[in-house]
Each structure stands twice: as C-alpha cells, then as structure tokens.
Amino acid sequence: MQTACRRLGHQYIKQSPASLYSLKSVYPLSDQYYGVENPRMASTLATKGVGHLVRKGTGGRSSVSGIVATVFGATGFLGRYLVQQLAKMGSQVLVPFRGSEDSQRHLKLMGDLGQIVPMKYNPRDENSIKAVMAKANVVINLIGREYETRNYSFEEVNHHMAEQLAVIAKEHGGIMRYIQVSCLGASPSSASKMLRAKAAAEEAILRELPEATVMRPAVMVGTEDRILNPWAQFAKKYSFLPLIGDGSTKIQPVYVVDVASAIIAALKDDGTSMGNIYELGGPDIYTMHELAELMYDTIREWPHYVRIPFPIAKALATPRELLLKKVPFPMPVPTIFNLDQIEAFSTDTVVSTNALTFEDLGIAPRKLKGYPVEYLIQYRKGGPMYGSTVSEKLTPKSWN
C-alpha cells in the first residue's frame, strides 16, 4: 500500500491515504493541509502567456468552462452582473456571504443546479476565508464600501480585507487568476478616505501577487446604482436636487454590465491582462450638472436645482461622521450627503491618458443615454409609460 508523508506539528509521520483523508475531515482548515506548503511563499499565480484559463466546454450555462471562481462581494451591485456572466459561460461560482440567508438568494437562479454555491463566512476569520477559497482556481474581490459604519471602517473594508485575501490566495497554490476591483481615482493623495484605502489595497495586492489584475471602474450606473437612483428619489420627494459645488466636476460614468464584461474578458484571455491595471470609464465624460440633466430627462420632470457650495455640503454631512462611533445605535446610511463622496467629487475623475482601458480588453462600452438609464422610468409620476423613453428617441446604433 502506498504511503504518504505529511508534516504534523514538528514531526513527520507516514500515513496511508485513507488515514490522511480521515485527518483532513477532522482538521479541514488546518494549515498543514492548505495550499502547497504551510510557509508563506512566493506567488503561485500562473505567469503571463501560459495560455487560456477556459479550456473546456462549448459555452453556455450547462457547459463546463473549467473556472471555479470565488467572488467576494458577489451580493453587491456589480456582483450580481458578474455572477450572471460567469454562470452563463458554464463556470461554478462560490458566493461568500455574511448576512442573512436571503442576501444571496437572487444569485442562485443565475446558473444550473449546483452551479452557484452560497457559503457563509466571516471576513474577520482567516480559516473561514480559506474554506470558501479552498476549491477555487479564480478569486475575484469586489468588496468595497463608500461609507463607514460603527463596525467597519474604510481601511478595514477597502484595504485590510483585500490584503488578507491576497495573502491567502498566495498560500493557496492553485489560484490561476486574481482580480481586484478598485475605483477610478484611487490615489494615496486623494481627498477621499475610501480612494486612499483603495490605493493602499492595490499596492498591497500587487506586492503579494504581482500577476494580479486590477480593475478601476468609474462611477457605475445600472438598475441598483448609488448615484442616479438617490438623485431621482430625492428629486421626487423634495421637488429639487442639491447640486454640490457648481456642477462642473467631470466624471466618466460606466454601465455596470460593461464592467462585468471586462472582468470576464480578463479571465478569457491568454494571460496578457495579468499584472496590469485597467481604468474602466464610459465613452462619454459628463459634468455633474449634465448627468443630472440626463436623469431629469429620463424621469420627465422639469429640472430644479439648489446649488450648494462644497464647504456647506461638507458641513451638512459632517454630523453623521462625528456621531458615528459615539452613539449606541447605527447611524443612517448616507445618500447624497455622504462626506467621503463629496470629497471624491470635488475633483475631476476621468480615465488617464495612457491608461489601459476597455479597448485593450476588446470591449466597446455602451453610452449611458439609452438602455443603461431606462430603469429610471420607474420614477415618472405618470407611471413608466408616461411620455416616450430615451431609447425610443435613439437608434440602436447610437447606444454603442
């Protein structure tokens, strides 16, 4: 009978395969049986040019792509679109979640039986993270938050968690691709604490895994977005929209489905995207005022603005930040008056001149004026059929 040698503590013992299996069942998360070896070691990611990760199947949700992806943050905005595209190509998707059992229920419908696997975990428990990553060959980190809570700071959510995932993926020994989703404008010198934390996360991940891919999407627009939805809700409730500053700050919003497609394109390539940073912005640059005009045009309301200078907007948003950890109850989630977002929107956030973009991944991002903002028709006071939709004014050719 063949025997196998495994290190247990400081001694080496010989065990039969059957007895090793029983040991693993008793100690499933033990460091001795995780990854290639226990010591923290060099990156085990596949190097550039090794070929395509997707090698099996004919395509489609009932095929087998060969990808087993752990998608951290899959229950969020971008996550649902990414999981849908992964499942559509026949990948198995492991969905770590920390909330209620209902938080991931909508994702299970996106793939065949057993294709979407929800796994409860604790992001502060290393063994819990190892368990949800153990069977994967791809790790995608979408974890991020644009506001702080009493339990989770910007640094912990956007930086430390990302660094911990990279360290564990490095130890794993079988991770072929690691993709980190950051934010456009991430910089150590940014006025936004979130963007500074995202920049620190990028540096930490590329230090641990030099072959990792970093995606920097601009402000994402889609059915569940956190920019046009709050604007439309505020405009409907109060009959005006606060325009912070003079509305001249430039941003480059992008359709969320295109960002998910960019991640899939990076997984499908031959490794050329590994070790690169991509800045994902839409085809058009808008000022904040122009984007608000697009919102008003879609919901069929006359535009009414109240211009609020940046110092006053920061003053209105500051009380939540001051009371956040001083009161014995959770503070409400900020929407328009989010201090950190006000800081981020105080400067232009557009794609850099020499950056890698959608074009380098073979994707043509869609224009916002058209189908990507059609979800705003739900805010029309006369109902969704009130007036004509934006897309009815345009030809399908102009959507791209």
Side-chain angles (χ1 to χ4, degrees):
M1 178 184 295
Q2 290 183 332
T3 59
C5 184
R6 290 290 185 271
R7 185 176 66 177
L8 190 59
H10 295 286
Q11 297 178 346
Y12 282 85
I13 58 175
K14 289 188 175 182
Q15 296 284 350
S16 67
S19 61
L20 281 176
Y21 178 80
S22 63
L23 278 174
K24 291 182 183 180
S25 65
V26 175
Y27 305 105
L29 300 176
S30 175
D31 285 342
Q32 285 79 12
Y33 302 109
Y34 187 84
V36 176
E37 281 294 344
N38 182 33
R40 301 189 184 271
M41 54 193 176
S43 170
T44 56
L45 286 186
T47 56
K48 295 183 182 180
V50 295
H52 296 274
L53 179 63
V54 180
R55 298 188 179 93
K56 305 175 185 177
T58 57
R61 58 184 268 168
S62 296
S63 66
V64 178
S65 69
I67 291 177
V68 180
T70 300
V71 183
F72 291 92
T75 56
F77 176 34
L78 173 60
R80 66 180 63 208
Y81 297 95
L82 178 59
V83 169
Q84 180 189 35
Q85 293 199 30
L86 282 169
K88 189 177 180 180
M89 60 187 284
S91 305
Q92 187 176 30
V93 186
L94 311 180
V95 179
F97 69 97
R98 66 178 184 88
S100 70
E101 298 291 336
D102 290 338
S103 63
Q104 38 68 36
R105 185 172 59 179
H106 60 287
L107 300 175
K108 295 191 71 174
L109 303 175
M110 297 178 180
D112 277 353
L113 185 63
Q115 199 172 355
I116 312 296
V117 184
M119 303 179 71
K120 192 148 191 166
Y121 87 119
N122 180 357
R124 288 173 171 157
D125 181 8
E126 184 173 338
N127 285 336
S128 175
I129 296 172
K130 287 181 176 181
V132 299
M133 204 185 290
K135 302 294 184 183
N137 58 15
V138 168
V139 174
I140 304 172
N141 180 29
L142 309 181
I143 295 175
R145 180 171 282 173
E146 67 275 10
Y147 60 90
E148 290 185 298
T149 65
R150 297 176 72 242
N151 297 322
Y152 289 95
S153 65
F154 282 125
E155 275 294 314
E156 183 175 10
V157 173
N158 299 296
H159 175 198
H160 298 311
M161 285 185 186
E163 184 175 10
Q164 184 182 35
L165 294 183
V167 170
I168 294 175
K170 179 179 177 180
E171 292 181 345
H172 184 286
I175 303 299
M176 301 295 291
R177 300 287 174 88
Y178 187 101
I179 296 179
Q180 164 72 10
V181 176
S182 183
C183 288
L184 187 64
S187 168
S189 60
S190 173
S192 164
K193 291 193 290 185
M194 184 195 74
L195 293 179
R196 292 199 301 270
K198 285 290 188 182
E202 291 179 15
E203 181 183 354
I205 288 167
L206 292 175
R207 182 174 62 248
E208 295 289 339
L209 301 171
E211 306 299 333
T213 303
V214 176
M215 301 287 183
R216 290 179 177 175
V219 175
M220 291 182 288
V221 169
T223 306
E224 305 85 11
D225 71 31
R226 302 185 185 99
I227 180 166
L228 294 184
N229 275 309
W231 286 5
Q233 290 168 4
F234 196 100
K236 291 293 293 181
K237 186 174 183 179
Y238 299 106
S239 300
F240 73 92
L241 180 67
L243 200 60
I244 297 174
D246 59 359
S248 62
T249 304
K250 294 179 181 178
I251 59 175
Q252 200 166 343
V254 61
Y255 187 33
V256 63
V257 175
D258 293 331
V259 177
S261 299
I263 297 173
I264 297 297
L267 290 179
K268 286 183 174 182
D269 69 15
D270 61 354
T272 54
S273 63
M274 299 175 69
N276 292 330
I277 298 176
Y278 293 87
E279 297 191 0
L280 308 178
D284 298 317
I285 296 175
Y286 290 83
T287 63
M288 301 295 282
H289 179 261
E290 290 169 346
L291 191 60
E293 288 288 313
L294 176 62
M295 182 273 295
Y296 269 116
D297 184 49
T298 308
I299 68 174
R300 296 288 181 263
E301 297 278 354
W302 288 105
H304 295 286
Y305 301 106
V306 173
R307 298 181 184 274
I308 303 177
F310 279 109
I312 296 177
K314 292 176 184 178
L316 292 173
T318 298
R320 179 188 183 275
E321 307 302 319
L322 294 177
L323 298 173
L324 186 61
K325 295 185 179 180
K326 295 181 180 179
V327 296
F329 52 85
M331 295 295 291
V333 175
T335 52
I336 290 179
F337 293 102
N338 179 343
L339 182 59
D340 198 73
Q341 279 195 331
I342 293 171
E343 296 279 10
F345 287 147
S346 62
T347 57
D348 296 344
T349 307
V350 296
V351 173
S352 306
T353 305
N354 299 321
L356 297 174
T357 62
F358 279 112
E359 184 178 346
D360 298 284
L361 293 167
I363 296 173
R366 277 167 278 195
K367 293 180 178 291
L368 290 195
K369 192 171 183 180
Y371 177 74
V373 295
E374 285 293 284
Y375 63 92
L376 290 175
I377 64 175
Q378 65 183 305
Y379 296 104
R380 292 177 180 173
K381 64 181 179 182
M385 303 307 294
Y386 177 73
S388 61
T389 62
V390 174
S391 61
E392 286 172 349
K393 295 181 178 180
L394 305 170
T395 62
K397 184 177 180 181
S398 64
W399 293 357
N400 298 318

